[in-house]
Amino acid sequence: MKKLMMLALLGSIATGCVPLHPTDCLKKNALEPCSYNRSGKVTDTDIYGQQAAGIKNALDSALADRHAWKGKTCNMHLDFNYDGKLQNIIIKGGDKAYCDALEVAAKKADFPPFTDQKVYDVMSSARWNMQGY
């Protein structure tokens, strides 16, 4: 019994110092909250970047005269269903004409469906800082 108690104590000491965290969680100690490296930039090669690139490409494809907006910016909030259907769009600010054109484009764009629940949880309701090129 004494050996069993000593083994349990040593086991808890050894594992108590190891930060326990879920997959992809970035933290240095067990008491720290998880942070994730999920920027969602269209240049990222992870599943978040792929979804962001798909959304941006869908917007650009539906945008009338998309090369006329070079240097223009628009901040907007987009809400999506899991199947990629646009639920809501709110223009937050930016070049009015570009934002108006993006709003029209968003309403007719064919957005890619989400294929991963984690990506959907992070990106289904997000702010987008669009820049014309």
Side-chain angles (χ1 to χ4, degrees), residues 9-126:
L9 178 64
L10 287 174
S12 67
I13 289 172
T15 60
C17 296
V18 176
L20 304 174
H21 52 80
T23 306
D24 299 331
C25 175
L26 306 174
K27 65 180 183 175
K28 294 179 178 78
N29 64 55
L31 299 177
E32 194 175 86
C34 281
S35 65
Y36 298 91
N37 188 13
R38 299 177 181 151
S39 73
K41 293 181 180 177
V42 297
T43 55
D44 290 348
T45 57
D46 63 4
I47 57 177
Y48 299 91
Q50 292 169 2
Q51 185 71 35
I55 291 170
K56 175 146 179 28
N57 289 339
L59 273 170
D60 286 342
S61 294
L63 188 62
D65 197 14
R66 66 184 187 180
H67 297 290
W69 306 108
K70 185 173 182 167
K72 305 295 183 189
T73 62
C74 182
N75 299 318
M76 58 187 179
H77 188 95
L78 300 174
D79 296 315
F80 293 99
N81 291 333
Y82 196 83
D83 64 0
K85 183 178 180 203
L86 183 66
Q87 183 97 20
N88 190 31
I89 180 171
I90 300 169
I91 302 298
K92 300 284 190 173
D95 181 80
K96 181 162 177 29
Y98 182 49
C99 290
D100 290 345
L102 281 171
E103 185 172 14
V104 170
K107 290 178 180 176
K108 64 180 181 177
D110 185 22
F111 294 103
F114 289 84
T115 57
D116 186 284
Q117 186 64 44
K118 292 184 290 186
V119 175
Y120 179 74
D121 292 343
V122 172
M123 299 181 73
S124 65
S125 181

